[in-house]
Each structure stands twice: as structure tokens, then as C-alpha cells.
Amino acid sequence: MLKDDMIMKAGIIHILDSSMAMPVLSDYPIDLGSDLCDFLKAHIEKFTESDDIKNCQFSDSSDIMPIIRDCTPENFVDSSKLLCEKLFQIMNSNIDIPPADVAVMVFSVKSCDYLAILKLNYRTSYTHTTRQLENGNSNEIILHKSLLPTQGQKLSEACVVDLSTGEVMLTEKKYEVNGEKRLYFSELYLQCHAPLSQKSKLDIVTKAVEQINDKYYGKDDAERRMEVKNVIYQELEENGALQVESIGEKVFKDSLEMQEAFSEKMEKYNMTTEVVEPKSQRTIKKFQKQHLTTETGIEITIPMEEYQNPDRVEFITNSDGTISVLIKNIGRLDSK
């Protein structure tokens, strides 16, 4: 969802500071023409365009679903209060969940209406304050514990609900609840089943590949690790996705045993038939370059396109077992 496509219809801010006994609930919507709307739109775009997003549906027993379903322009303020009261009850019972201001908004994108809940967790930082003294002003720097996240900062918990289908897009983080790390936002608050995000799926696949590769080739085989990374990069570059069923065959094409080991790991996550489709460049950025470090501290970064070109880079295994890296056909060398 791009912020320029969003048309705000209603919005309100509630204060859910769990250090206080009660939430501070607003009785008035925000000004839709204010800079605050642009700030909130930017946060909606940031998390909905991220590969951290999960797509899910409310369970039939969800307490939140009927509140959102029955939300109208006439009862928007009261509905937003109910949504935040239920969230505050969970926060107030679990001190590990950070306090926050919560923005509830209704907006449309291409004629479809959505309701968003953004939990703006407080951050601690320094700011200035001015005190009026008898003979003038005194400017001081103080530690403020209730500052909101910046416009570019990633939100830990947020969701957008499609009001026509009930589909939920969310991002979340685990916090300790009753002594156990849980995804409280989806499990306890929204009460919806949240599958793995595209980023989490990609992390699982790449970690499984690395573990199997290290087991059979060892962690010191840098050339093999580069080959594996190159295969994954080519799949993402050419197809925009990883077919879990076939990626094991491509990465471990010379070893049936390694292919089977990869399949077993994917079965544990119920991912054997998954298609991993990251949409954010940030998610796949780590595959776009080879980062090498020698035991003496020399660092080399090679763009993947150059790594694949033998006229640009060559790796030579010497007779004594050491490796030489030959960089060819340099037209200009810059120092930074």
C-alpha cells in the first residue's frame, strides 16, 4: 500500500501507557488535514510494503473481529475505544509489552476500505525543555521516555484489516507473556492465525541451506559458500521467488544425500511445497553481493553480476591450499 493511494476517512489517537492504571482514551478524531496523517500513512506504507508482513484471517472466536466489522462513521470513536481497551488489558497484565500511543484509522485505497491499528511504542531519548526562572529562561536537556517512533522507524506491532473480506495484514514481535515469549498481538489480541512472513520463510530456507552446506563442506570452504549464495541469488533474480521443492536440487545438485537432508528440514516447517516470494529489495539485498574477509582482515565486496563474470574476477586455488583472488580488467580504481 502506497501512501499516495490512501484516502483517510477517520483517525484517532489513544494513549496506552501501561505504567498507569487506566488508558487515556480520546473523545475526538484527529484533523485529517494535519501532518499527523502523513506520518501515519508513511507507517502504514512502510509495514505493508515490507516482507515482514503476514496475511491471515480472524478466528471465529475473535473478540476483535465483530468490533471492526460493525465499525461505522457514526460509532468510529466508540469502536476505537473498545479496540484499545482490549489491547490495554493485555498490556497491563504483561509488563514486558511496551507502552504506546495507538492510532486507529479508517482509510481507502482504490475504492476498498481498510481499518488500521498502529501501536506506536515509546522510545527513550533526549530533548530540550525550558524553565522560567525569576530572572529569565533556563534551557535544559532532559531524558524523555515517551517519544514516538520516527517516520522511518519500523513498528513492532501493527495491522490493517480489509473491511470487505476480513483479511488481516500484520507485523508483530514476540514479548514475554506469563513467562513465555509469544506473538501476543495475533494470538491474544486479534485472535487470528498468522502464518510465516515472506522474510521469515526466506530466512528459514537460507539457514537450512547454510547448515547443510557447513555440515558436508565445512565452514571454511568460502568458495562453496559463494556458489550456494550465487544459486539463491540467480533464482531470486530470474524468477522473483524460491520454489522450495526445487531449490534443494539446484543448490545440492551433486549430492542426493544433501537434497534429502534439506527436504527433511523443510518438512519440519511444513514448507516443502512453499513458494517464497519476497517483494522488498531490502530483503534480498544481502544476496546481491559477495562479502569476503581474509584471516589478515582484508575485506572484499563483489557485486554478484561481477562475481559471475570470469573476465572480472577469478578465484585460484594454489598448490599449497591457499586461495588467490584475481580482479581483472580494472579501468579505474577509487579510494574511499
Side-chain angles (χ1 to χ4, degrees), residues 28-296:
Y28 297 95
I30 61 173
D31 178 5
L32 296 180
S34 68
D35 291 338
L36 175 58
C37 270
D38 292 333
F39 170 77
L40 298 174
K41 284 181 181 180
H43 274 297
I44 293 173
E45 176 179 320
K46 187 172 182 64
F47 96 83
T48 56
E49 290 297 310
S50 164
D51 286 314
D52 288 317
I53 195 172
K54 304 176 184 179
N55 294 286
C56 54
Q57 292 282 348
F58 287 110
S59 67
D60 293 337
S61 59
S62 172
D63 297 328
I64 298 300
M65 177 182 63
I67 299 173
I68 293 176
R69 182 190 58 212
D70 298 337
C71 181
T72 65
E74 291 74 27
N75 67 12
F76 170 73
V77 172
D78 290 337
S79 296
S80 72
K81 288 181 179 181
L82 282 174
L83 291 171
C84 288
E85 283 171 348
K86 289 186 176 295
L87 180 55
F88 186 78
Q89 288 172 8
I90 299 170
M91 293 169 58
N92 206 33
S93 302
N94 299 279
I95 60 173
D96 195 47
I97 300 174
D101 286 359
V102 174
V104 181
M105 290 153 291
V106 173
F107 65 98
S108 66
V109 174
K110 298 177 181 177
S111 301
C112 292
D113 287 340
Y114 300 88
L115 184 141
I117 302 173
L118 306 183
K119 187 166 178 281
L120 307 166
N121 292 341
Y122 298 151
R123 60 186 180 91
T124 300
S125 189
Y126 289 92
T127 187
H128 65 261
T129 185
T130 300
R131 290 193 301 146
Q132 287 188 333
L133 303 179
E134 184 177 346
N135 296 320
N137 294 330
S138 173
N139 294 332
E140 299 175 0
I141 300 295
I142 61 168
L143 186 64
H144 203 302
K145 296 184 178 181
S146 301
L147 295 177
L148 297 180
T150 62
Q151 186 165 307
Q153 192 173 336
K154 176 186 170 185
L155 298 184
S156 296
E157 301 105 301
C159 71
V160 168
V161 182
D162 186 324
L163 295 178
S164 61
T165 65
E167 182 178 341
V168 183
M169 295 174 281
L170 70 89
T171 186
E172 59 182 339
K173 179 181 176 180
K174 284 186 176 181
Y175 290 100
E176 190 170 306
V177 175
N178 297 326
E180 178 188 1
K181 290 281 188 179
R182 292 188 63 180
L183 295 169
Y184 83 92
F185 198 67
S186 62
E187 295 173 5
L188 302 181
Y189 177 56
L190 296 174
Q191 296 172 347
C192 64
H193 173 66
L196 292 170
S197 66
Q198 293 300 316
K199 183 177 182 297
S200 295
K201 291 177 183 178
L202 183 59
D203 288 343
I204 288 170
V205 171
T206 53
K207 187 175 181 180
V209 167
E210 287 172 6
Q211 288 175 341
I212 295 166
N213 192 70
D214 291 348
K215 178 181 177 181
Y216 286 86
Y217 286 90
K219 293 184 178 181
D220 296 330
D221 193 335
E223 287 188 83
R224 173 60 191 169
R225 292 169 75 94
M226 285 189 289
E227 289 173 16
V228 167
K229 190 174 184 179
N230 185 45
V231 172
I232 295 174
Y233 167 78
Q234 287 182 318
E235 280 293 298
L236 291 171
E237 189 72 11
E238 294 172 9
N239 304 317
L242 293 182
Q243 299 276 352
V244 173
E245 263 185 317
S246 61
I247 192 64
E249 297 173 5
K250 293 179 180 179
V251 173
F252 307 119
K253 59 183 179 181
D254 297 325
S255 173
L256 185 60
E257 185 179 351
M258 294 174 75
Q259 292 176 29
E260 290 173 351
F262 176 75
S263 296
E264 287 175 8
K265 284 186 177 289
M266 293 299 97
E267 284 175 11
K268 291 180 181 179
Y269 292 97
N270 295 317
M271 285 182 56
T272 51
T273 59
E274 286 282 351
V275 178
V276 184
E277 296 182 90
K279 61 180 180 180
S280 170
Q281 279 297 312
R282 179 177 292 184
T283 303
I284 61 176
K285 188 177 180 181
K286 65 180 180 180
F287 298 102
Q288 294 173 343
K289 293 181 180 180
Q290 298 278 17
H291 298 278
L292 310 176
T293 306
T294 71
E295 74 274 16
T296 58

